[in-house]
Amino acid sequence: MATPLPAGLTTGTYDIDASHTSAAFSVRHAGIAKVRGTIAVSSGTITVGEDLESSSVTAELDAQSVNTGDAGRDGHLKSADFWHADENPAWTFSSTAIRPEGDAYIISGDLTINGVTKGVELETEFTGTAKDPFGNNRAGFEAALEINRKEFGLTWNASLETGGFLVGDKVKITLDVSAIAKG
């Protein structure tokens, strides 16, 4: 049985508007605080079929664009200690399934970070549609997921004198997406 689309969302292809889309992450630091940062979403496509089962999402994020507010930390994150941004300049996501869950949607797919691909699930909310002042039909979405960084080969760490480690294993990633209908 086909799962209907969210009310207000029409079929077609939507390009992710990188200038109105953001990706953020947070990870526990020294066991007591969180480091937060952003990575630019460089491109993506949302294909809305007649139902959820025939819909899909792809996205690419620019690993070189990391910004945590500290240039030294940003350089370390881009280095071979973390995601080898010179060798792996993009994080990518490609959906494999979309299903409703309560008032939200779960988008399952393959996430590639640091050249390692793992299956993930994004808890996603459709935030609505609007026509902007330039005549573009837009659709909005918010999504969140949590990954274990070690599963993506991000294993660098340092022991703390008081016990534990400098960088936590769990990384929370959130996305705010604005997409423009083509044609």
Side-chain angles (χ1 to χ4, degrees):
M1 184 173 153
T3 307
L5 299 173
L9 185 61
T10 58
T11 61
T13 302
Y14 294 75
D15 287 332
I16 292 176
D17 178 2
S19 67
H20 292 96
T21 296
S22 63
F25 65 89
S26 65
V27 63
R28 188 71 58 191
H29 181 261
I32 60 170
K34 288 184 181 175
V35 167
R36 300 175 195 283
T38 60
I39 297 178
V41 177
S42 51
S43 64
T45 302
I46 300 168
T47 303
V48 180
E50 295 294 326
D51 51 39
L52 289 182
E53 291 78 12
S54 61
S55 299
S56 64
V57 178
T58 62
E60 186 170 297
L61 287 73
D62 178 4
Q64 290 283 0
S65 71
V66 64
N67 182 357
T68 64
D70 182 295
R73 180 174 43 227
D74 296 346
H76 191 204
L77 289 171
K78 290 185 258 186
S79 78
D81 282 347
F82 286 94
W83 55 71
H84 304 261
D86 287 336
E87 293 176 26
N88 303 297
W91 293 12
T92 61
F93 176 78
S94 182
S95 68
T96 56
I98 303 172
R99 70 180 191 278
E101 187 166 291
D103 291 337
Y105 299 88
I106 302 299
I107 302 176
S108 301
D110 295 323
L111 176 64
T112 301
I113 298 174
N114 190 32
V116 177
T117 303
K118 295 287 180 187
V120 297
E121 291 190 335
L122 286 77
E123 185 174 328
T124 306
E125 177 186 348
F126 170 62
T127 57
T129 58
K131 184 172 275 221
D132 70 21
F134 308 102
N136 296 309
N137 291 316
R138 292 182 174 269
F141 305 88
E142 293 178 356
L145 71 152
E146 183 175 280
I147 63 169
N148 182 322
R149 67 185 183 89
K150 288 182 176 178
E151 291 179 355
F152 292 89
L154 307 173
T155 58
W156 183 91
N157 222 332
S159 297
L160 298 173
E161 186 178 304
T162 55
F165 292 95
L166 184 64
V167 182
D169 291 341
K170 294 178 182 176
V171 180
K172 294 181 180 180
I173 301 171
T174 58
L175 298 130
D176 288 304
V177 177
S178 179
I180 300 172
K182 289 174 110 175

